[in-house]
Amino acid sequence: MTVEFSDKAKEKFDHLLTRYPNKRAALLPVLHLAQAEFGGWVSPEAIKYIAELLDLTELDVHDTMSFYTMYYNQPMGKFVVEVCHTLSCELMGASTVVDHLENKLGIKMGETSDDGLFSLRKGECLGSCGTAPMMRVNFDYYENLNADKLDKIIDLLREKA
Amino acid sequence: MAKNDIKILMAKDGIENSHQIDVAMKHGAYSALKKALKMENTAITSEVKTSGVRGRGGAGFPAGIKWGFMPIGDRKKKPNYVVVNADESEPGTFKDRWLIEKDPHMLIEGIIITSYAVEAHVAYIYIRGEYYKQALILEKAIEEAYAKGFLGKNILGSGFDLELTVHRGAGAYICGEETALLNSLEGRRGYPRIKPPYFPAAIGVFMCPTLVNNVETIANVPWIIENGGEAFSEIGKPNNTGTKLLSVSGHVNLPGVYEVPLGLNLMTLINDYCGGIRDGHKLKAVIPGGSSMPVLKAEECDVDMDFDALKNAGSSLGSGGVIVMDETTCMVDVCLNLLKFYAHESCGQCTPCREGMPWMARMLQRIKSGEGRPEDIELVLNVADYVGGDIDFSRGKLGKTICALGEAGSWPTIALIKKYRDEFEHFCKNHEPLIKRDKSIKTPKNAIAEVVAT
């Protein structure tokens, strides 16, 4: 698979470079852009491409990327479901949310469903403590969860897929 | 009650579309900017010093003093930068999210005034990666501000230029530590930098002088300029001036963000603002300043919510993240939950933190699985001493690690064991919890919003 930004992404990339005094500083936003462009993960080919664009080594890109939890180095489900399980959410029943999702999706934490739709992960505090328990599906927050609501959300996502 | 309180930061609460520039301007946004641009920049810093506003990110360092470290005028040899810390990740804290969602223009106005005061022509908002929607709100608001001439070249004809950019992180608690944040902004791993220099005003981002302030600190600036530092200093208590956004979560009837004058009594907050403890349960404990701060027992909660009073009570105001726990809470669970968090978020640079956090977490896991030995409790405390010690220096030692994540993990651990030792001992002796854990989902029925898949 050839890895190259679309024209629209190239435009975004060029704009990003104007916002920083050097190319390396654009690495985090460029990784976000690449992940969105290239199927929701950053492949070794994408790393090579980014390194060339930013005059870095592949090792530089990998070194930075591997520090952060939001860049994926393997293909993920279409919907990455991240359940917050830090204290405030845990006090409000996050572990029951996890159990419910594991049953509903038929996968365990850290796994991706066979149909490639759902990846289930545990997340650390997502800044939604007043509306706990909560989960993040890609970029959307779902808050004040309960069993009924979880079922509805998963069904809606399945319909949407 | 809440309604009579002075509103500085939540003045636009309840106003529809308050994030849009036209609506915000109808309610006074950018009027302080116009005033500020006619002032000498040193006069702005003086007002902030007079206000006494202390950093709202957690450390409580006086903001005006921090601004004063920035080299300006003849002392300026390199470009200055302003970086806003919106990497809100301290468990129990969600106030900056409220400010960004509801009043991004107050933040942007604060950034422009701050940058003008410290002679910076480039500013960044470093926002945590998970706040994607919030980053979009900010980007839209910045676009609006550029269109109105509040950002860019020659702002409102003053000759002052400023470029403002939103920089998204990518999931790392440690990037809220200001020097880790700067490394992350430079496109590197979020490793905290070795101190000294203690302040990025000496060496910050791109090796240049940098002012790093929390979202809430900067959001206070327009009000201070509009009304004067003196007026701000009259709110709250001496040395603890102004209002504070408190993020309240856990077992209260009405969790949420509340703006209160510094020095409000914690029990008043819980009972009068937050509707008391849920379903008639009893208060057991409160973490008053984000998960890194020592827990207060119910009987210790008759305390004022300000920097000094909480310090005297053996805890800290920290980020203002108030986590309330009722009597169904098992403190062994709480301790394990927090240690797992800190073990996960340790950046790995310093041995005491990288090894100590997972070690303590494994010991807690052993206790929780019913295989704890009585000597494990002292062993956990012993490791905690070597990671960061206790908040009052009564045991262990501060400064074993490059940044404060060591202390952030050891302080709450030591406090939980010291104050609820009977629960830990019971678990080790009887191999079962003293308090049976209530795992049920406790979402209040009235809080359930419609489900919309976007």
Side-chain angles (χ1 to χ4, degrees):
Chain A
M1 182 179 116
T2 38
V3 169
E4 203 186 342
F5 281 151
S6 63
D7 287 347
K8 211 177 153 198
K10 268 187 193 147
E11 209 176 290
K12 272 192 193 158
F13 173 79
D14 289 339
H15 175 72
L16 281 173
L17 290 191
T18 66
R19 306 309 290 175
Y20 301 95
N22 63 49
K23 281 187 172 178
R24 175 150 197 165
L27 181 51
L28 261 65
V30 171
L31 279 166
H32 282 305
L33 185 63
Q35 185 158 289
E37 275 280 295
F38 305 136
W41 70 296
V42 185
S43 64
E45 293 77 24
I47 289 179
K48 192 160 181 266
Y49 179 65
I50 294 168
E52 279 164 15
L53 285 177
L54 295 176
D55 297 332
L56 297 170
T57 65
E58 289 168 57
L59 187 64
D60 289 332
V61 177
H62 189 265
D63 176 65
T64 295
M65 180 183 135
S66 59
F67 186 80
Y68 300 94
T69 57
M70 288 180 74
Y71 302 128
Y72 308 132
N73 62 2
Q74 55 184 336
M76 300 293 280
K78 184 170 180 178
F79 302 110
V80 179
V81 179
E82 192 171 278
V83 185
C84 176
H85 71 127
T86 314
L87 187 56
S88 297
C89 279
E90 191 58 56
L91 290 172
M92 300 299 278
S95 52
T96 303
V97 170
V98 171
D99 293 346
H100 192 88
L101 283 171
E102 285 185 341
N103 282 333
K104 175 100 183 157
L105 298 173
I107 50 174
K108 293 276 170 208
M109 272 291 152
E111 293 179 352
T112 298
S113 59
D114 288 340
D115 57 8
L117 277 187
F118 295 98
S119 292
L120 196 53
R121 311 192 337 150
K122 266 190 182 174
E124 298 293 354
C125 187
L126 294 169
S128 193
C129 326
T131 39
M134 66 81 65
M135 64 181 184
R136 182 170 75 97
V137 181
N138 299 342
F139 291 122
D140 295 320
Y141 275 26
Y142 294 93
E143 308 176 290
N144 287 320
L145 297 172
N146 62 18
D148 284 351
K149 203 166 163 182
L150 281 167
D151 289 343
K152 252 188 232 170
I153 293 164
I154 297 300
D155 292 345
L156 272 171
L157 291 172
R158 278 210 172 107
E159 259 171 51
K160 219 180 102 182
Chain B
M1 277 300 290
K3 275 177 189 135
N4 301 325
D5 286 338
I6 181 153
K7 293 279 180 257
I8 294 175
L9 301 163
M10 295 178 80
K12 298 193 190 74
D13 190 17
I15 296 169
E16 213 176 313
N17 295 323
S18 56
H19 63 286
Q20 295 173 0
I21 198 161
D22 293 330
V23 178
M25 285 180 73
K26 235 179 252 169
H27 292 89
Y30 296 103
S31 62
L33 175 65
K34 286 166 195 159
K35 186 175 172 187
L37 290 173
K38 292 192 188 104
M39 291 165 71
E40 290 288 328
N41 64 343
T42 48
I44 294 173
T45 305
S46 299
E47 285 300 331
V48 174
K49 278 183 186 162
T50 307
S51 77
V53 60
R54 294 170 66 170
R56 303 307 200 218
F61 191 82
I65 309 274
K66 206 177 190 184
W67 291 23
F69 295 153
M70 290 293 283
I72 57 166
D74 296 343
R75 290 190 294 132
K76 184 176 165 183
K77 305 281 186 246
K78 286 176 166 183
N80 286 349
Y81 287 92
V82 165
V83 177
V84 178
N85 188 342
D87 190 65
E88 183 169 64
S89 310
E90 176 73 9
T93 316
F94 45 101
K95 66 189 174 68
D96 296 340
R97 177 181 165 196
W98 190 97
L99 283 172
I100 291 165
E101 286 175 358
K102 303 290 179 187
D103 206 348
H105 288 288
M106 180 169 58
L107 175 62
I108 293 167
E109 187 181 10
I111 294 168
I112 305 166
I113 298 172
T114 306
S115 302
Y116 175 71
V118 302
E119 297 178 7
H121 299 292
V122 178
Y124 295 98
I125 302 172
Y126 184 103
I127 187 166
R128 65 178 299 180
E130 293 88 349
Y131 281 2
Y132 177 73
K133 296 250 154 103
Q134 290 74 11
L136 294 185
I137 291 171
L138 277 173
E139 278 173 354
K140 178 85 177 94
I142 288 170
E143 202 179 291
E144 291 175 331
Y146 268 102
K148 295 265 187 204
F150 299 141
L151 283 168
K153 296 265 177 238
N154 191 18
I155 294 168
L156 300 175
S158 66
F160 175 67
D161 307 334
L162 181 67
E163 295 296 330
L164 175 59
T165 304
V166 177
H167 184 95
R168 278 182 63 218
Y173 168 71
I174 194 58
C175 289
E177 198 274 349
E178 67 181 2
T179 61
L181 184 150
L182 297 177
N183 276 341
S184 183
L185 182 54
E186 289 182 1
R188 302 171 196 284
R189 296 169 80 83
Y191 280 158
R193 295 176 180 174
I194 292 173
K195 288 92 181 165
Y198 292 100
F199 290 95
I203 302 171
V205 74
F206 311 124
M207 299 294 280
C208 292
T210 306
L211 176 72
V212 185
N213 272 151
N214 177 257
V215 166
E216 186 185 345
T217 313
I218 297 273
N220 275 301
V221 172
W223 195 96
I224 291 170
I225 295 308
E226 190 90 59
N227 300 278
E230 191 81 35
F232 189 90
S233 72
E234 284 159 12
I235 304 164
K237 282 163 61 174
N239 200 35
N240 298 272
T241 57
T243 63
K244 179 82 189 80
L245 294 185
L246 299 175
S247 320
V248 187
S249 64
H251 298 149
V252 289
N253 279 315
L254 301 167
V257 181
Y258 295 89
E259 180 173 18
V260 302
L262 273 170
L264 182 86
N265 185 281
L266 175 53
M267 289 313 298
T268 309
L269 174 77
I270 292 171
N271 291 326
D272 296 357
Y273 288 67
C274 304
I277 307 298
R278 67 173 177 117
D279 301 336
H281 283 275
K282 260 176 44 201
L283 177 66
K284 176 170 183 175
V286 176
I287 296 175
S291 69
S292 306
M293 297 307 159
V295 69
L296 297 172
K297 295 177 86 160
E299 56 268 34
E300 295 171 311
C301 287
D302 183 13
V303 63
D304 290 351
M305 291 296 288
D306 64 62
F307 297 101
D308 295 338
L310 280 166
K311 194 176 170 207
N312 291 337
S315 189
S316 172
L317 182 63
S319 62
V322 181
I323 307 173
V324 181
M325 293 167 265
D326 69 20
E327 84 285 4
T328 65
T329 313
C330 166
M331 289 314 196
V332 178
D333 269 338
V334 172
C335 194
L336 174 61
N337 185 284
L338 292 181
L339 280 169
K340 276 186 180 166
F341 174 81
Y342 291 105
H344 182 263
E345 300 299 341
S346 174
C347 82
Q349 279 193 108
C350 313
T351 311
C353 173
R354 183 188 63 237
E355 304 299 325
M357 300 294 183
W359 188 4
M360 289 189 285
R362 285 196 299 273
M363 284 192 277
L364 260 298
Q365 186 73 59
R366 179 161 71 194
I367 294 172
K368 204 189 145 181
S369 64
E371 288 165 35
R373 307 163 304 175
E375 62 266 34
D376 282 344
I377 299 170
E378 277 308 316
L379 200 52
V380 174
L381 286 173
N382 184 259
V383 175
D385 286 348
Y386 281 98
V387 174
D390 201 357
I391 192 168
D392 60 1
F393 316 115
S394 61
R395 51 186 306 146
K397 202 162 174 251
L398 281 169
K400 297 222 177 269
T401 47
I402 291 172
C403 80
L405 199 129
E407 285 84 18
S410 69
W411 290 356
T413 304
I414 292 174
L416 281 164
I417 296 180
K418 268 198 330 203
K419 295 183 183 183
Y420 298 94
R421 198 176 174 113
D422 56 327
E423 287 185 40
F424 291 83
E425 282 176 347
H426 186 278
F427 223 137
C428 288
K429 211 171 134 198
N430 302 299
H431 310 295
E432 58 168 27
L434 185 63
I435 313 282
K436 289 273 183 311
R437 186 174 176 208
D438 172 10
K439 280 178 73 178
S440 67
I441 297 178
K442 298 168 198 71
T443 298
K445 283 186 184 64
N446 58 2
I448 295 168
E450 207 181 321
V451 176
V452 186
T454 43

